[in-house]
């Protein structure tokens, strides 16, 4: 029996990917102008970025518990095996809610074979893990093999991340308002990474060129076998910088492939426009 892959919209893969590969989508919620939207389904990222530029502050919330219950119950009734790869538990309550709902569904369907994995990842880093899982399913791998591959990729994912304006992170409580104000004055760009699922600052650099150069240098130190892996770049309405980053990665690291997507409405609500994130493996 084929294994079903489930993921939420924080993986920042396009809706076409879910439709074409039979992956179940759990949308996070985006709240803007007193209206609740479903990330990837009823709101485009550009709408969020436009609102932020106009001074609005979008809010987000986790996947609907009712949607989890309905989806899990239907799978259990149809005797489907599945793996739900979830958004980092350090950045959303979605993973914990899914685990709770699964336990409830299993009380009625004790034989239900669904595994939930905390990716400890976000955006396209999480998305690359989902894409790899789908390839494993399509190759006919067993559920155990697919799960092991997912867990390995989660453990060895590297994420480097920057924002165009520290003010957006300040509004989300990531940095102090004083440092955000100072950063804006001095054209200082923060460089962060994801450590055990959390967003952790590494350093601050002045100017875009220095920042991109530093990202490449860190990739050389942290990455492995770029010629055999797909590097992910997600951007918040800044395709120009994403393409510039892609050229540097291809020229200096000889990556097998560079895959670019937009940062979705849910994650983009917190990072703001102009953010760039780069994802790669430190082991294959």
């Amino acid at each position: 029996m084929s294994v079903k892959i489930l993921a939420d919209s924080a993986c920042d893969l396009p809706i076409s990917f879910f439709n074409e590969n039979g992956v179940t989508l759990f949308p996070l919620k985006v709240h803007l102008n007193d209206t609740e939207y479903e990330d990837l389904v009823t709101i485009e990222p550009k709408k969020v970025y436009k609102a932020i530029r106009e001074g609005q502050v979008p809010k987000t919330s986790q996947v609907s518990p009712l949607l989890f219950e309905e989806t899990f119950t239907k799978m259990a009734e149809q005797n489907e095996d599945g793996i739900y790869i979830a958004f980092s538990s350090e950045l959303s309550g979605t993973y914990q809610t899914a685990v709770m709902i699964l336990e409830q569904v299993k009380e009625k369907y004790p034989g239900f074979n669904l595994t939930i994995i905390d990716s400890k990842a976000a955006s396209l880093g999480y998305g690359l893990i989902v894409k790899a899982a789908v390839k494993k399913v399509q190759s006919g791998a067993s559920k155990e093999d697919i799960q092991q591959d997912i867990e390995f990729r989660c453990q060895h994912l590297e994420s480097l991340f920057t924002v165009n304006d520290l003010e957006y992170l300040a509004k989300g409580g990531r940095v102090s308002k004083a440092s955000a104000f100072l950063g804006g004055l001095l054209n200082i760009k923060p460089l962060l990474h994801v450590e055990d699922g959390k967003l952790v600052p590494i350093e601050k650099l002045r100017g875009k060129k220095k920042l991109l150069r530093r990202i490449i240098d860190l990739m050389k130190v942290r990455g492995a076998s770029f010629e055999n892996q797909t590097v992910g770049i997600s951007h918040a309405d800044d395709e120009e910088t994403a393409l510039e980053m892609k050229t540097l990665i291809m020229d200096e690291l000889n990556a097998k492939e560079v895959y670019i997507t937009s940062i979705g409405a849910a994650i983009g609500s917190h990072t703001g426009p102009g953010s760039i994130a780069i994802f790669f493996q430190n082991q294959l």
Side-chain angles (χ1 to χ4, degrees):
M1 183 183 292
S2 180
V3 178
K4 191 166 189 61
I5 300 297
L6 307 90
D8 53 72
S9 62
C11 69
D12 286 347
L13 292 170
I15 191 75
S16 58
F17 172 84
F18 290 87
N19 296 334
E20 292 166 7
N21 294 284
V23 176
T24 296
L25 168 65
F26 294 123
L28 279 79
K29 304 295 181 65
V30 178
H31 306 267
L32 184 63
N33 292 329
D34 299 320
T35 303
E36 181 180 86
Y37 299 93
E38 289 191 329
D39 183 23
L40 206 61
V41 179
T42 59
I43 188 169
E44 292 287 329
K46 283 184 179 291
K47 182 169 184 172
V48 168
Y49 301 136
K50 182 176 184 291
I52 292 173
R53 288 182 175 118
E54 292 171 351
Q56 298 180 58
V57 183
K59 303 291 184 183
T60 60
S61 58
Q62 61 180 277
V63 175
S64 160
L66 180 60
L67 181 58
F68 280 138
E69 183 180 6
E70 290 173 346
T71 304
F72 294 168
T73 299
K74 184 177 179 181
M75 287 180 66
E77 289 173 347
Q78 296 179 349
N79 199 29
E80 290 184 301
D81 293 350
I83 300 175
Y84 170 34
I85 310 168
F87 184 23
S88 173
S89 62
E90 295 290 343
L91 300 173
S92 169
T94 293
Y95 168 77
Q96 288 92 342
T97 298
V99 170
M100 179 184 69
I101 298 297
L102 176 58
E103 290 173 356
Q104 293 174 8
V105 172
K106 277 191 168 185
E107 289 176 7
K108 186 174 180 181
Y109 302 94
F112 181 34
N113 187 11
L114 176 70
T115 301
I116 302 177
I117 297 174
D118 180 1
S119 69
K120 297 292 183 73
S123 192
L124 188 53
Y126 167 20
L128 291 179
I129 294 165
V130 175
K131 281 173 67 72
V134 168
K135 282 189 176 181
K136 291 288 283 186
V137 170
Q138 293 170 345
S139 74
S142 67
K143 184 183 176 190
E144 183 181 8
D145 286 345
I146 298 166
Q147 184 175 336
Q148 286 178 352
D149 187 67
I150 292 168
E151 290 172 343
F152 181 88
R153 289 175 183 274
C154 291
Q155 290 164 7
H156 295 284
L157 177 71
E158 295 282 344
S159 306
L160 297 173
F161 171 73
T162 186
V163 295
N164 188 52
D165 190 336
L166 280 165
E167 182 64 27
Y168 303 129
L169 286 180
K171 287 178 179 177
R174 295 295 183 183
V175 297
S176 72
K177 291 193 182 297
S179 67
F181 177 71
L182 183 63
L185 286 178
L186 300 177
N187 192 26
I188 289 174
K189 307 291 185 184
L191 182 59
L192 309 94
H193 68 157
V194 177
E195 187 176 289
D196 196 30
K198 299 177 183 177
L199 199 59
V200 179
I202 302 174
E203 57 193 271
K204 294 178 182 178
L205 297 114
R206 183 173 297 172
K208 178 179 168 182
K209 286 188 177 180
K210 284 186 179 179
L211 177 69
L212 299 187
R213 180 71 255 165
R214 181 60 175 148
I215 289 172
I216 293 293
D217 291 344
L218 284 173
M219 291 180 73
K220 288 177 178 177
V221 172
R222 297 185 177 197
S225 305
F226 284 103
E227 67 278 5
N228 297 320
Q229 67 166 296
T230 298
V231 174
I233 302 176
S234 56
H235 67 91
D237 204 21
D238 190 1
E239 187 177 18
E240 181 182 342
T241 300
L243 291 171
E244 190 177 341
M245 195 76 234
K246 176 181 178 178
T247 299
L248 286 171
I249 291 169
M250 296 300 292
D251 289 349
E252 300 209 24
L253 302 173
N254 194 31
K256 177 184 175 182
E257 180 188 9
V258 176
Y259 181 72
I260 299 175
T261 66
S262 173
I263 294 175
I267 292 181
S269 292
H270 299 284
T271 66
S275 305
I276 297 285
I278 293 87
F279 308 95
F280 54 97
Q281 295 286 131
N282 59 35
Q283 281 190 47
L284 293 177

